[in-house]
Amino acid sequence: MNETNPVQLRWNEVDRYLEQQLIGPDSLMENVLKNNHAAGLPPFDVTPTQGKFLHLLVQLCGAKHVLEIGTLGGYSTIWMARALPEDGHIVTLEVSPHHAETAARNFKLAGLEERITIRTGDALEQLAHMNQELYAPFDLIFIDADKPNNPHYLNWALHFSRPGTVIVGDNVVREGEIIDHLSSDPRIQGVRSFYDQLRNEPRVSATALQTVGSKGYDGFMIGIVNG
């Protein structure tokens, strides 16, 4: 992402305008991002407008039980957790112990540590353990981890779903590179396989939206499990 590009600069300005108009100052979330930066985490958090989008999705589908695959520093987790009812809960999976420790501090700062469970380790292994532990279906599942494993994450998302479960995938446009079927990038091929699965999966009704903003050019997939 070239932040000196005039188009990117305009996207940045528009994002700031939308944040001012629709979200307003949020010192807690600003401190979460500062904590992530101080801990040396990569700047892969969703933007404030995208976080608010996830927040509203939780409210729109009346979610009480949320699964997040890919925690990073917990910024998106907190956006979703703040939308839950008092008896709601999020399980979030993070491969890096350092990232998980940073997220745990952020959850405590937000006063949400009782509403969030962090499971640390390889996500596919954690999902298999959760299956053995007989986790109940989730109402909303957010997939935002390593893209080569997106097809496997989708399989598990379907396993932990019920009719009406909302499944959201982040970073599914990749600067438009997803149309390159010859790409040698495993992230691109992972997302392409993800779309192949969705196209052939009768249990899910899905669409995807291209997005632009301060994080560049990318997109979200959103689907609903039919049955």
Side-chain angles (χ1 to χ4, degrees), residues 178-191:
I178 56 165
I179 64 173
D180 182 6
H181 69 283
L182 297 177
S183 174
S184 60
D185 187 333
R187 297 168 297 181
I188 301 301
Q189 293 302 334
V191 175

Side-chain angles (χ1 to χ4, degrees), residues 2-227:
N2 184 357
E3 295 186 357
T4 63
N5 182 296
V7 174
Q8 180 63 57
L9 290 173
R10 175 56 61 91
W11 292 345
N12 295 348
E13 292 170 358
V14 171
D15 254 4
R16 284 193 292 269
Y17 172 77
L18 295 175
E19 291 166 23
Q20 293 168 1
Q21 294 294 91
L22 302 177
I23 299 174
D26 192 330
S27 60
L28 169 64
M29 301 309 280
E30 291 169 5
N31 285 332
V32 168
L33 291 177
K34 289 177 183 176
N35 291 344
N36 291 352
H37 178 74
L41 272 59
F44 296 156
D45 308 278
V46 299
T47 65
T49 52
Q50 292 168 343
K52 185 65 176 289
F53 171 73
L54 293 171
H55 180 99
L56 293 174
L57 281 181
V58 171
Q59 292 181 316
L60 283 167
C61 70
K64 293 177 64 175
H65 304 289
V66 174
L67 172 63
E68 179 182 51
I69 303 174
T71 313
L72 195 60
Y75 184 77
S76 56
T77 324
I78 293 172
W79 269 112
M80 292 187 287
R82 294 202 297 186
L84 290 170
E86 287 296 322
D87 57 345
H89 200 83
I90 292 183
V91 176
T92 184
L93 312 181
E94 175 52 50
V95 66
S96 165
H98 176 61
H99 294 178
E101 290 168 6
T102 303
R105 291 194 294 270
N106 287 330
F107 299 155
K108 186 173 182 179
L109 177 68
L112 294 168
E113 64 269 33
E114 298 299 321
R115 201 174 291 185
I116 303 168
T117 297
I118 312 175
R119 298 181 65 116
T120 307
D122 180 87
L124 294 177
E125 293 178 5
Q126 289 298 321
L127 290 162
H129 291 321
M130 289 169 61
N131 183 46
Q132 294 173 352
E133 295 164 22
L134 303 178
Y135 264 74
F138 291 92
D139 305 314
L140 185 144
I141 299 171
F142 181 42
I143 301 171
D144 190 17
D146 55 308
K147 306 314 169 192
N149 276 319
N150 262 19
H152 300 301
Y153 296 145
L154 179 58
N155 287 335
W156 277 114
L158 289 169
H159 177 79
F160 286 114
S161 294
R162 55 162 179 77
T165 293
V166 174
I167 300 174
V168 181
D170 195 12
N171 308 126
V172 294
V173 171
R174 316 291 307 179
E175 301 280 347
E177 291 300 315
I178 56 165
I179 64 173
D180 182 6
H181 69 283
L182 297 177
S183 174
S184 60
D185 187 333
R187 297 168 297 181
I188 301 301
Q189 293 302 334
V191 175
R192 285 179 60 87
S193 295
F194 181 68
Y195 281 124
D196 289 341
Q197 281 180 282
L198 288 165
R199 181 188 63 200
N200 296 310
E201 178 51 72
R203 290 173 293 174
V204 180
S205 177
T207 191
L209 299 174
Q210 300 180 75
T211 60
V212 297
S214 57
K215 298 299 290 291
Y217 170 35
D218 215 319
F220 281 108
M221 182 285 299
I222 182 168
I224 297 179
V225 177
N226 302 315

